[in-house]
């Protein structure tokens, strides 16, 4: 039986909120006739950086409006990214939205698995490995610091 994207959406929201406690805001968007087409499934702000995540099950493809929205988020200084889940293999893939979306370019996708995350309560939660997302956030924050430094020196 094919899993729904909603399971992936819940997993990534739980993962981001677990990794960045009190430093992340995530929301699941629900498309309807009043919503602009192509809004990413997950909108987040993590440590001051805006993130749009489009979730896809294996072999799912983004619509043209989803591709445009994620690229626009990148161009505006945020992070627009796809998260693809191959449930049969238990593998997640992070795909930068600046790259053309094609399964033939899988060699450029960042593979991720699940990892255990210990909560303050002592419970252990299985979360998606967000190392790639963290590296993108670090790069954004480093660039932000450079921009501020350069602006203050002029």
């Amino acid at each position: 039986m094919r899993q729904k994207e909603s399971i992936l959406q819940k997993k990534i929201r739980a993962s981001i909120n677990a990794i960045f406690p009190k430093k992340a805001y995530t929301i699941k968007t629900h498309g309807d006739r009043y919503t602009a087409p192509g809004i990413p499934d997950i909108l987040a702000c993590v440590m001051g950086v805006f993130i749009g995540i489009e979730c896809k099950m294996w072999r799912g493809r983004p619509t043209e409006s989803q591709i445009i929205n994620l690229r626009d988020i990148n161009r505006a200084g945020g992070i627009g990214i796809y998260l693809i889940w191959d449930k049969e293999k238990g593998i997640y893939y992070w795909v930068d939205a600046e790259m053309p979306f094609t399964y033939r370019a899988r060699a450029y996708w960042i593979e991720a698995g699940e990892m255990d995350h210990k909560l303050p309560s002592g419970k252990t939660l299985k979360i998606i490995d967000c190392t790639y997302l963290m590296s993108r956030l670090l790069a954004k924050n480093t660039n932000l610091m450079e921009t501020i430094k350069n602006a203050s020196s002029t």
Side-chain angles (χ1 to χ4, degrees):
M1 182 178 156
R2 221 175 116 113
Q3 290 284 345
K4 292 183 179 181
E5 281 182 9
S6 61
I7 295 171
L8 177 58
Q9 294 160 358
K10 287 177 187 173
K11 282 182 151 202
I12 190 57
R13 285 187 67 205
S15 299
I16 291 171
N17 289 325
I19 293 168
F20 301 100
K22 298 183 182 176
K23 297 208 182 297
Y25 172 81
T26 63
I27 188 168
K28 160 67 183 112
T29 62
H30 299 277
D32 61 21
R33 63 183 178 178
Y34 302 109
T35 307
I39 302 296
D41 294 320
I42 306 297
L43 298 178
C45 184
V46 179
M47 297 170 33
V49 177
F50 183 80
I51 302 170
I53 303 172
E54 183 60 41
C55 299
K56 294 291 177 195
M57 299 304 290
W58 187 247
R59 292 290 177 205
R61 298 191 181 281
T63 64
E64 188 62 29
S65 58
Q66 290 169 334
I67 291 168
I68 290 167
N69 276 313
L70 288 180
R71 286 186 184 160
D72 286 349
I73 289 168
N74 279 330
R75 289 186 185 124
I79 298 173
I81 198 163
Y82 303 100
L83 180 60
I84 299 152
W85 185 19
D86 185 345
K87 187 175 183 301
E88 287 181 18
K89 293 182 181 176
I91 300 172
Y92 301 89
Y93 296 96
W94 292 101
V95 183
D96 189 325
E98 284 299 314
M99 296 179 60
F101 188 94
T102 172
Y103 282 85
R104 283 180 248 150
R106 263 196 329 265
Y108 299 102
W109 296 4
I110 306 301
E111 191 174 308
E114 288 186 343
M115 53 194 273
D116 291 331
H117 181 78
K118 195 161 197 125
L119 298 171
S121 65
K123 290 183 178 181
T124 301
L125 179 66
K126 282 270 189 212
I127 63 169
I128 297 170
D129 181 355
C130 293
T131 305
Y132 179 67
L133 182 59
M134 289 188 292
S135 69
R136 293 283 309 271
L137 282 165
L138 181 59
K140 289 288 181 191
N141 282 326
T142 302
N143 291 340
L144 180 61
M145 292 305 291
E146 280 297 314
T147 302
I148 292 168
K149 184 178 168 185
N150 292 337
S152 64
S153 64
T154 55

